[in-house]
Amino acid sequence: MKSADTDFIRYIRPEIPPPEEWLPHLRESYELGYFTNTGPAVRRFEAALAAKYARGRAAVSGPNATNALVAALDTLGVHRGRVLTPSYTFPATAQAIRMVGAEPEFCDIDPETWELDPAAVRSRLARGGITAIMHVRAYGFGHDLDWLESAAREHGVPLLIDSAAALGGASSISGHVGQQGDIEVFSLHATKVFAIGEGSVTLMHPELEQRYRRVSNFGIGYPDVQDPGLNSKLSDFQAAVGLAVLDHIDAHIAHRQRIAARYREDLTGLPQLHRLQPPTLSPWQSYPVLLGPGVDAGRVLERALASGLELKRGYYRPLHQTTRFGSEARLPVTEQLAGRVVCLPVYSSMPEHTAGEVLRRFRAALD
């Protein structure tokens, strides 16, 4: 039996309910011989998600969040032009924009929120030529976006929110995230807190639901083909896992928030760290910290790994510096954060001693 000092601590440890918890949710699917195209488990899953998170919005499931972003852009009629979005994000954000025939217009981020910078957004919108905004809730944060909704309305452009890591999180203003923008997309990937393996849920204004469902089903509005379309439907097998996750998700998020609070308390005041995130408003897929100027993030990761602790850099590298999306955009805050944010692991059932080991090994790596 290895001691806690020698156990390897992975960055991500997916926690998905065992088969005995989700197989009963497939009983009706087998009785009807109906496993996809909005089968009985999917219908129950979407209804449960709507009741828990949507607050009057429509909830539509899908096979993954990238497909959902494409379907959302198609639903909003975004097929050309420039979509204002951060470079400080996962590649799926910009890939989805390219997939519908539009082009990402990268905007800098705010050094406090790590999300789209209000002044930069307003300045770019004022110059014209933007067809939509795709905001990103960095690391699943729940910042209020009233300012961004107001800016989108003022300039007559739709607002889509990529909230891949945020399901179950909260905004200080609107309660559960999912209430802002025209459409908000969440990932249910195995690496997320609400994990079913592969999947997504999209929350939207009810008047968009019918078109979104057509787009997700090849654009078919029987007997016609009315819209752009792709196959973006969840199967009953994935929905069954999701129904089982719902029994645990609140406890999982509460535990992760306690771990995040402990990290913040323990790391506050370290001279090697420039900024720590508040312990609320996120389900905490991981806990990101901003290293101080001059601290070598690559060296910190190497030293941590040598001690048996796997860390990751956040959104590294920024998309405007990649081969596919490279541009001459000047995004100084994005470039500073991308080189200095390091993410600590958070598990839904992380024991106290493991959290203590994360902190001990991380501090040693910083030293």
Coordinates of all heavy atoms in Angstrom, one line a residue, residues 35-117:
F35 N -33.9 4.4 -28.6 CA -32.6 4.7 -28.0 C -32.0 6.1 -28.4 O -31.0 6.5 -27.9 CB -31.6 3.6 -28.2 CG -32.0 2.3 -27.7 CD1 -32.6 1.3 -28.6 CD2 -32.0 2.0 -26.4 CE1 -33.0 0.1 -28.2 CE2 -32.5 0.7 -26.0 CZ -32.9 -0.2 -26.9
T36 N -32.5 6.7 -29.4 CA -32.0 8.0 -29.9 C -33.1 8.8 -30.5 O -34.3 8.4 -30.4 CB -30.8 7.8 -30.9 OG1 -30.2 9.0 -31.2 CG2 -31.3 7.1 -32.2
N37 N -32.8 9.9 -31.2 CA -33.8 10.8 -31.8 C -34.8 11.2 -30.7 O -36.0 11.1 -30.9 CB -34.5 10.1 -32.9 CG -33.6 10.0 -34.2 OD1 -32.6 10.6 -34.3 ND2 -34.0 9.0 -35.0
T38 N -34.2 11.7 -29.6 CA -35.0 12.2 -28.4 C -35.9 11.0 -27.8 O -37.1 11.1 -27.8 CB -35.9 13.4 -28.8 OG1 -35.2 14.2 -29.6 CG2 -36.4 14.1 -27.6
G39 N -35.1 10.0 -27.4 CA -35.8 8.9 -26.7 C -36.3 9.2 -25.3 O -36.1 10.3 -24.9
P40 N -36.9 8.2 -24.7 CA -37.5 8.5 -23.4 C -36.6 9.0 -22.3 O -36.9 9.8 -21.5 CB -38.2 7.2 -23.0 CG -37.6 6.2 -23.9 CD -37.2 6.8 -25.1
A41 N -35.3 8.4 -22.3 CA -34.4 8.9 -21.3 C -33.9 10.3 -21.5 O -33.7 11.1 -20.6 CB -33.2 7.9 -21.2
V42 N -33.7 10.6 -22.8 CA -33.4 12.0 -23.2 C -34.4 13.0 -22.8 O -34.2 14.1 -22.2 CB -33.1 12.1 -24.7 CG1 -33.0 13.6 -25.2 CG2 -31.8 11.4 -25.0
R43 N -35.7 12.6 -23.0 CA -36.8 13.5 -22.7 C -36.8 13.8 -21.2 O -37.0 14.9 -20.7 CB -38.1 13.0 -23.2 CG -38.3 13.0 -24.7 CD -39.7 12.8 -25.1 NE -40.2 11.5 -24.7 CZ -40.2 10.4 -25.4 NH1 -39.5 10.4 -26.6 NH2 -40.7 9.3 -25.0
R44 N -36.6 12.7 -20.4 CA -36.6 12.9 -18.9 C -35.4 13.7 -18.5 O -35.5 14.5 -17.6 CB -36.6 11.5 -18.2 CG -37.9 10.7 -18.4 CD -38.0 9.6 -17.3 NE -36.8 8.7 -17.3 CZ -36.7 7.7 -18.1 NH1 -37.6 7.4 -19.0 NH2 -35.6 6.9 -18.0
F45 N -34.3 13.5 -19.1 CA -33.0 14.2 -18.8 C -33.2 15.7 -19.1 O -32.9 16.5 -18.2 CB -31.9 13.6 -19.5 CG -30.5 14.2 -19.2 CD1 -30.1 14.4 -17.9 CD2 -29.6 14.5 -20.2 CE1 -28.9 14.9 -17.6 CE2 -28.4 15.0 -19.9 CZ -28.0 15.3 -18.6
E46 N -33.7 16.0 -20.2 CA -33.9 17.4 -20.6 C -34.9 18.1 -19.7 O -34.7 19.3 -19.3 CB -34.3 17.6 -22.0 CG -33.2 17.2 -23.0 CD -33.6 17.4 -24.5 OE1 -34.8 17.6 -24.7 OE2 -32.7 17.3 -25.3
A47 N -36.0 17.4 -19.3 CA -36.9 18.0 -18.4 C -36.3 18.2 -17.0 O -36.6 19.2 -16.4 CB -38.2 17.0 -18.3
A48 N -35.5 17.3 -16.6 CA -34.9 17.5 -15.3 C -33.9 18.6 -15.3 O -33.8 19.4 -14.3 CB -34.2 16.2 -14.8
L49 N -33.1 18.7 -16.4 CA -32.2 19.9 -16.5 C -32.9 21.2 -16.5 O -32.5 22.2 -15.9 CB -31.3 19.7 -17.7 CG -30.3 18.6 -17.7 CD1 -29.7 18.3 -19.1 CD2 -29.2 18.9 -16.7
A50 N -34.0 21.2 -17.3 CA -34.8 22.5 -17.4 C -35.3 22.8 -16.0 O -35.3 24.0 -15.6 CB -35.9 22.3 -18.4
A51 N -35.8 21.9 -15.3 CA -36.4 22.2 -13.9 C -35.3 22.7 -13.0 O -35.6 23.5 -12.1 CB -37.1 20.9 -13.4
K52 N -34.1 22.1 -13.1 CA -33.1 22.5 -12.1 C -32.3 23.8 -12.5 O -32.0 24.6 -11.6 CB -32.1 21.3 -12.0 CG -31.0 21.5 -10.9 CD -30.2 20.2 -10.8 CE -29.3 20.3 -9.6 NZ -29.9 20.5 -8.3
Y53 N -32.1 24.0 -13.8 CA -31.2 25.1 -14.2 C -31.8 26.1 -15.1 O -31.3 27.2 -15.2 CB -30.0 24.5 -14.9 CG -29.1 23.5 -14.1 CD1 -28.9 22.2 -14.5 CD2 -28.5 24.0 -12.9 CE1 -28.1 21.4 -13.8 CE2 -27.7 23.1 -12.2 CZ -27.5 21.8 -12.6 OH -26.8 20.9 -11.8
A54 N -32.9 25.8 -15.8 CA -33.3 26.7 -16.9 C -34.1 27.9 -16.5 O -34.1 28.9 -17.2 CB -34.0 25.9 -18.0
R55 N -34.9 27.8 -15.4 CA -35.7 28.9 -14.9 C -36.5 29.6 -16.1 O -36.5 30.8 -16.3 CB -34.8 30.0 -14.3 CG -34.2 29.5 -13.0 CD -33.3 30.5 -12.4 NE -33.9 31.8 -12.1 CZ -33.3 32.9 -11.8 NH1 -32.0 32.9 -11.6 NH2 -33.9 34.0 -11.6
G56 N -37.2 28.7 -16.8 CA -38.1 29.2 -17.9 C -37.5 29.1 -19.3 O -38.2 29.3 -20.3
R57 N -36.2 28.9 -19.3 CA -35.5 28.7 -20.6 C -35.7 27.3 -21.1 O -36.1 26.4 -20.3 CB -34.1 29.0 -20.6 CG -33.8 30.5 -20.4 CD -32.4 30.9 -20.7 NE -32.3 32.3 -21.0 CZ -31.2 32.9 -21.6 NH1 -30.2 32.1 -21.9 NH2 -31.2 34.2 -21.8
A58 N -35.5 27.0 -22.4 CA -35.5 25.7 -22.9 C -34.2 25.0 -22.7 O -33.1 25.7 -22.8 CB -35.8 25.7 -24.4
A59 N -34.2 23.7 -22.5 CA -32.9 22.9 -22.3 C -32.9 21.8 -23.4 O -33.8 21.0 -23.4 CB -32.9 22.3 -20.9
V60 N -31.9 21.8 -24.2 CA -31.7 20.8 -25.2 C -30.4 20.1 -25.1 O -29.3 20.8 -25.0 CB -31.8 21.4 -26.6 CG1 -31.8 20.4 -27.7 CG2 -33.2 22.2 -26.8
S61 N -30.4 18.8 -25.1 CA -29.1 18.1 -24.9 C -28.5 17.8 -26.3 O -29.1 18.0 -27.3 CB -29.4 16.7 -24.2 OG -30.3 15.9 -25.0
G62 N -27.2 17.4 -26.2 CA -26.5 17.1 -27.5 C -25.3 16.2 -27.2 O -25.0 16.0 -26.0
P63 N -24.6 15.8 -28.3 CA -23.5 14.8 -28.1 C -22.2 15.4 -27.6 O -21.4 14.7 -27.0 CB -23.3 14.3 -29.5 CG -23.7 15.4 -30.4 CD -24.8 16.1 -29.7
N64 N -22.0 16.7 -27.8 CA -20.8 17.4 -27.2 C -21.0 18.9 -27.4 O -21.8 19.4 -28.1 CB -19.5 16.9 -27.9 CG -19.5 17.1 -29.4 OD1 -19.5 18.3 -29.8 ND2 -19.5 16.1 -30.1
A65 N -20.2 19.7 -26.6 CA -20.3 21.1 -26.6 C -19.9 21.8 -27.9 O -20.4 22.8 -28.3 CB -19.6 21.7 -25.4
T66 N -18.9 21.2 -28.6 CA -18.5 21.8 -29.9 C -19.7 21.7 -30.9 O -20.0 22.7 -31.6 CB -17.3 21.0 -30.5 OG1 -16.3 21.0 -29.5 CG2 -16.8 21.7 -31.7
N67 N -20.3 20.6 -31.0 CA -21.5 20.5 -31.9 C -22.6 21.5 -31.4 O -23.2 22.1 -32.3 CB -22.1 19.1 -31.8 CG -21.6 18.2 -33.0 OD1 -20.6 18.4 -33.5 ND2 -22.4 17.2 -33.3
A68 N -22.7 21.6 -30.1 CA -23.8 22.5 -29.6 C -23.4 24.0 -30.0 O -24.4 24.8 -30.3 CB -23.9 22.4 -28.1
L69 N -22.2 24.4 -29.9 CA -21.8 25.7 -30.3 C -22.1 26.0 -31.8 O -22.6 27.0 -32.2 CB -20.3 26.0 -30.1 CG -19.9 26.1 -28.6 CD1 -18.4 26.1 -28.5 CD2 -20.5 27.3 -27.9
V70 N -21.8 25.0 -32.7 CA -22.1 25.1 -34.1 C -23.6 25.2 -34.3 O -24.1 26.1 -35.0 CB -21.5 23.9 -34.9 CG1 -22.0 23.9 -36.3 CG2 -20.0 23.9 -34.8
A71 N -24.4 24.4 -33.6 CA -25.8 24.4 -33.7 C -26.4 25.8 -33.2 O -27.3 26.3 -33.8 CB -26.5 23.3 -33.0
A72 N -25.8 26.3 -32.2 CA -26.2 27.6 -31.7 C -25.9 28.7 -32.6 O -26.8 29.6 -32.9 CB -25.5 27.9 -30.3
L73 N -24.8 28.7 -33.2 CA -24.4 29.8 -34.2 C -25.4 29.7 -35.4 O -25.9 30.7 -35.9 CB -23.0 29.6 -34.7 CG -21.9 30.0 -33.6 CD1 -20.6 29.5 -34.0 CD2 -21.9 31.6 -33.5
D74 N -25.6 28.4 -35.9 CA -26.6 28.2 -37.0 C -28.0 28.8 -36.6 O -28.7 29.4 -37.4 CB -26.7 26.8 -37.4 CG -25.6 26.4 -38.3 OD1 -25.1 27.2 -39.1 OD2 -25.2 25.2 -38.4
T75 N -28.4 28.4 -35.4 CA -29.7 28.9 -34.9 C -29.8 30.4 -34.9 O -30.9 31.0 -35.3 CB -30.0 28.3 -33.5 OG1 -30.0 26.9 -33.6 CG2 -31.3 28.8 -33.0
L76 N -28.7 31.1 -34.6 CA -28.7 32.5 -34.5 C -28.5 33.2 -35.8 O -28.4 34.4 -35.9 CB -27.7 33.0 -33.5 CG -28.0 32.6 -32.0 CD1 -26.7 32.9 -31.1 CD2 -29.2 33.3 -31.5
G77 N -28.3 32.3 -36.9 CA -28.1 32.9 -38.2 C -26.7 33.4 -38.5 O -26.5 34.3 -39.4
V78 N -25.7 33.0 -37.7 CA -24.4 33.5 -37.9 C -23.6 32.5 -38.9 O -23.2 31.5 -38.5 CB -23.6 33.5 -36.5 CG1 -22.2 34.0 -36.7 CG2 -24.4 34.4 -35.5
H79 N -23.5 33.0 -40.1 CA -22.9 32.2 -41.2 C -21.8 32.9 -41.9 O -21.2 32.4 -42.8 CB -23.9 31.7 -42.2 CG -25.0 30.9 -41.5 ND1 -26.4 31.2 -41.7 CD2 -25.0 29.8 -40.7 CE1 -27.1 30.3 -41.0 NE2 -26.3 29.5 -40.4
R80 N -21.5 34.1 -41.5 CA -20.4 34.9 -42.1 C -20.0 36.0 -41.2 O -20.6 36.2 -40.1 CB -20.9 35.4 -43.5 CG -22.1 36.4 -43.4 CD -22.6 36.8 -44.7 NE -23.7 37.8 -44.6 CZ -24.9 37.4 -44.4 NH1 -25.2 36.2 -44.3 NH2 -25.9 38.4 -44.3
G81 N -19.1 36.8 -41.6 CA -18.7 38.0 -40.8 C -17.8 37.6 -39.7 O -17.2 36.5 -39.6
R82 N -17.6 38.5 -38.7 CA -16.7 38.3 -37.6 C -17.4 38.2 -36.3 O -18.3 39.0 -36.0 CB -15.7 39.5 -37.6 CG -15.0 39.7 -39.0 CD -13.8 40.7 -38.9 NE -12.7 40.1 -38.3 CZ -11.8 39.2 -38.9 NH1 -12.0 38.9 -40.2 NH2 -10.8 38.8 -38.3
V83 N -17.0 37.2 -35.5 CA -17.6 36.9 -34.2 C -16.6 37.3 -33.2 O -15.4 36.8 -33.1 CB -17.9 35.4 -34.1 CG1 -18.5 35.2 -32.7 CG2 -19.0 35.0 -35.1
L84 N -16.9 38.3 -32.3 CA -16.1 38.8 -31.3 C -16.0 37.7 -30.2 O -17.0 37.3 -29.6 CB -16.6 40.1 -30.7 CG -15.7 40.9 -29.9 CD1 -14.5 41.4 -30.7 CD2 -16.4 42.1 -29.3
T85 N -14.7 37.3 -29.8 CA -14.5 36.2 -28.9 C -13.2 36.4 -28.2 O -12.3 37.0 -28.8 CB -14.7 34.9 -29.6 OG1 -14.9 33.8 -28.6 CG2 -13.5 34.6 -30.5
P86 N -12.9 35.8 -27.1 CA -11.6 35.8 -26.5 C -10.6 34.8 -27.2 O -11.1 33.8 -27.7 CB -11.8 35.4 -25.0 CG -13.0 34.6 -25.1 CD -13.9 35.2 -26.2
S87 N -9.4 35.2 -27.2 CA -8.3 34.2 -27.6 C -8.0 33.3 -26.4 O -7.5 32.2 -26.6 CB -7.1 35.0 -28.1 OG -6.0 34.2 -28.3
Y88 N -8.3 33.8 -25.2 CA -8.0 33.0 -24.0 C -9.1 32.0 -23.8 O -10.0 32.3 -23.0 CB -7.8 34.0 -22.8 CG -7.3 33.4 -21.6 CD1 -6.0 32.9 -21.5 CD2 -8.0 33.3 -20.4 CE1 -5.5 32.3 -20.4 CE2 -7.5 32.8 -19.3 CZ -6.2 32.3 -19.2 OH -5.7 31.7 -18.1
T89 N -9.1 30.9 -24.5 CA -10.1 29.9 -24.4 C -9.6 28.6 -25.0 O -8.6 28.5 -25.6 CB -11.4 30.4 -25.1 OG1 -12.4 29.4 -25.0 CG2 -11.1 30.6 -26.6
F90 N -10.5 27.5 -24.9 CA -10.2 26.3 -25.5 C -10.4 26.4 -27.0 O -11.3 27.1 -27.5 CB -11.1 25.2 -24.9 CG -10.7 23.8 -25.3 CD1 -9.6 23.2 -24.8 CD2 -11.6 23.1 -26.1 CE1 -9.3 21.9 -25.2 CE2 -11.3 21.7 -26.4 CZ -10.1 21.2 -25.9
P91 N -9.7 25.6 -27.9 CA -9.8 25.8 -29.3 C -11.3 25.6 -29.8 O -11.6 26.1 -30.9 CB -8.9 24.7 -29.9 CG -7.9 24.5 -28.8 CD -8.6 24.7 -27.5
A92 N -12.1 24.8 -29.2 CA -13.4 24.5 -29.7 C -14.2 25.8 -29.9 O -15.1 25.9 -30.8 CB -14.2 23.6 -28.7
T93 N -14.0 26.8 -29.1 CA -14.7 28.1 -29.3 C -14.5 28.6 -30.7 O -15.5 28.9 -31.4 CB -14.2 29.1 -28.3 OG1 -14.3 28.6 -26.9 CG2 -15.0 30.4 -28.3
A94 N -13.3 28.8 -31.1 CA -13.0 29.4 -32.4 C -13.2 28.4 -33.5 O -13.6 28.8 -34.6 CB -11.5 29.9 -32.5
Q95 N -13.0 27.1 -33.3 CA -13.3 26.1 -34.3 C -14.8 26.1 -34.7 O -15.1 26.0 -35.9 CB -12.9 24.7 -33.8 CG -11.4 24.5 -33.5 CD -10.6 24.3 -34.8 OE1 -11.0 24.6 -35.9 NE2 -9.4 23.7 -34.7
A96 N -15.6 26.2 -33.7 CA -17.1 26.3 -34.1 C -17.4 27.5 -34.9 O -18.2 27.4 -35.8 CB -17.9 26.3 -32.8
I97 N -16.8 28.6 -34.6 CA -17.0 29.8 -35.4 C -16.6 29.6 -36.9 O -17.3 29.9 -37.8 CB -16.3 31.0 -34.8 CG1 -16.9 31.4 -33.5 CG2 -16.3 32.2 -35.8 CD1 -16.0 32.4 -32.7
R98 N -15.4 29.0 -37.1 CA -15.0 28.7 -38.4 C -15.9 27.7 -39.1 O -16.1 27.8 -40.3 CB -13.5 28.1 -38.4 CG -12.5 29.2 -38.2 CD -11.9 29.7 -39.5 NE -10.9 30.7 -39.4 CZ -9.6 30.4 -39.3 NH1 -9.1 29.1 -39.3 NH2 -8.7 31.4 -39.2
M99 N -16.4 26.7 -38.4 CA -17.2 25.7 -39.0 C -18.5 26.2 -39.6 O -19.0 25.6 -40.6 CB -17.6 24.6 -37.9 CG -16.5 23.7 -37.5 SD -17.0 22.5 -36.2 CE -15.5 21.9 -35.7
V100 N -19.0 27.4 -39.2 CA -20.3 27.9 -39.8 C -20.0 28.9 -40.8 O -20.9 29.5 -41.4 CB -21.2 28.5 -38.7 CG1 -21.6 27.4 -37.7 CG2 -20.5 29.7 -38.0
G101 N -18.7 29.2 -41.1 CA -18.3 30.1 -42.2 C -18.0 31.5 -41.7 O -17.7 32.4 -42.5
A102 N -18.0 31.7 -40.4 CA -17.6 33.0 -39.9 C -16.1 33.0 -39.4 O -15.4 32.0 -39.6 CB -18.5 33.4 -38.7
E103 N -15.6 34.1 -38.9 CA -14.2 34.3 -38.6 C -14.1 34.8 -37.1 O -14.8 35.8 -36.8 CB -13.5 35.2 -39.5 CG -12.0 35.2 -39.4 CD -11.4 33.9 -39.8 OE1 -12.0 33.1 -40.6 OE2 -10.2 33.7 -39.4
P104 N -13.3 34.2 -36.3 CA -13.2 34.8 -34.9 C -12.4 36.1 -35.0 O -11.4 36.2 -35.7 CB -12.4 33.7 -34.2 CG -11.7 32.9 -35.3 CD -12.5 33.0 -36.5
E105 N -12.9 37.1 -34.2 CA -12.3 38.4 -34.0 C -11.9 38.4 -32.6 O -12.7 38.6 -31.7 CB -13.2 39.5 -34.3 CG -12.7 40.9 -34.0 CD -11.9 41.5 -35.2 OE1 -11.8 40.8 -36.2 OE2 -11.4 42.6 -35.0
F106 N -10.6 38.2 -32.3 CA -10.1 38.0 -30.9 C -10.0 39.3 -30.2 O -9.5 40.4 -30.7 CB -8.7 37.3 -30.9 CG -8.8 35.9 -31.4 CD1 -8.1 35.5 -32.5 CD2 -9.6 35.0 -30.8 CE1 -8.1 34.2 -33.0 CE2 -9.7 33.7 -31.3 CZ -9.0 33.3 -32.4
C107 N -10.5 39.3 -29.0 CA -10.6 40.5 -28.1 C -9.8 40.2 -26.8 O -9.8 39.1 -26.3 CB -12.0 40.8 -27.8 SG -12.3 42.3 -26.9
D108 N -9.2 41.2 -26.2 CA -8.5 41.0 -25.0 C -9.4 40.8 -23.8 O -10.6 41.0 -23.9 CB -7.5 42.2 -24.7 CG -6.2 41.8 -24.0 OD1 -6.1 40.6 -23.7 OD2 -5.3 42.6 -23.8
I109 N -8.8 40.3 -22.7 CA -9.6 40.0 -21.5 C -9.2 41.0 -20.4 O -8.2 41.6 -20.4 CB -9.3 38.5 -21.1 CG1 -7.8 38.3 -20.9 CG2 -9.9 37.6 -22.1 CD1 -7.5 36.9 -20.4
D110 N -10.1 40.9 -19.4 CA -9.9 41.8 -18.2 C -9.0 41.1 -17.2 O -9.1 39.9 -17.0 CB -11.3 42.0 -17.5 CG -11.3 42.9 -16.3 OD1 -10.8 42.4 -15.3 OD2 -11.7 44.0 -16.4
P111 N -8.0 41.8 -16.7 CA -7.0 41.1 -15.8 C -7.6 40.6 -14.5 O -7.0 39.8 -13.8 CB -6.0 42.2 -15.5 CG -6.7 43.5 -15.8 CD -7.7 43.2 -16.9
E112 N -8.8 41.1 -14.1 CA -9.5 40.6 -12.9 C -10.4 39.4 -13.1 O -10.4 38.5 -12.3 CB -10.3 41.8 -12.2 CG -9.4 43.0 -11.8 CD -8.4 42.6 -10.8 OE1 -8.7 41.9 -9.8 OE2 -7.2 43.0 -11.0
T113 N -11.2 39.5 -14.1 CA -12.2 38.4 -14.4 C -11.6 37.3 -15.3 O -12.1 36.2 -15.3 CB -13.5 39.0 -15.0 OG1 -13.1 39.5 -16.3 CG2 -14.1 40.1 -14.2
W114 N -10.6 37.6 -16.1 CA -10.0 36.7 -17.1 C -11.0 36.4 -18.2 O -10.8 35.4 -18.9 CB -9.5 35.4 -16.4 CG -8.5 35.6 -15.3 CD1 -8.0 36.8 -14.9 CD2 -7.9 34.6 -14.5 NE1 -7.1 36.6 -13.9 CE2 -7.0 35.2 -13.6 CE3 -8.0 33.2 -14.5 CZ2 -6.3 34.5 -12.7 CZ3 -7.3 32.5 -13.6 CH2 -6.4 33.1 -12.7
E115 N -12.0 37.2 -18.4 CA -13.0 37.1 -19.5 C -13.0 38.4 -20.3 O -12.2 39.3 -20.0 CB -14.3 36.8 -18.9 CG -14.3 35.5 -18.1 CD -15.7 35.1 -17.5 OE1 -16.6 35.9 -17.6 OE2 -15.8 34.1 -16.9
L116 N -13.8 38.4 -21.3 CA -13.8 39.6 -22.2 C -13.8 40.9 -21.5 O -14.5 41.1 -20.5 CB -15.1 39.5 -23.1 CG -15.0 38.5 -24.3 CD1 -16.4 38.5 -25.0 CD2 -13.9 38.8 -25.3
D117 N -12.9 41.8 -21.9 CA -12.7 43.1 -21.3 C -13.8 44.1 -21.8 O -14.0 44.3 -23.0 CB -11.3 43.6 -21.6 CG -11.1 45.0 -21.1 OD1 -11.1 45.2 -19.9 OD2 -11.1 46.0 -21.9

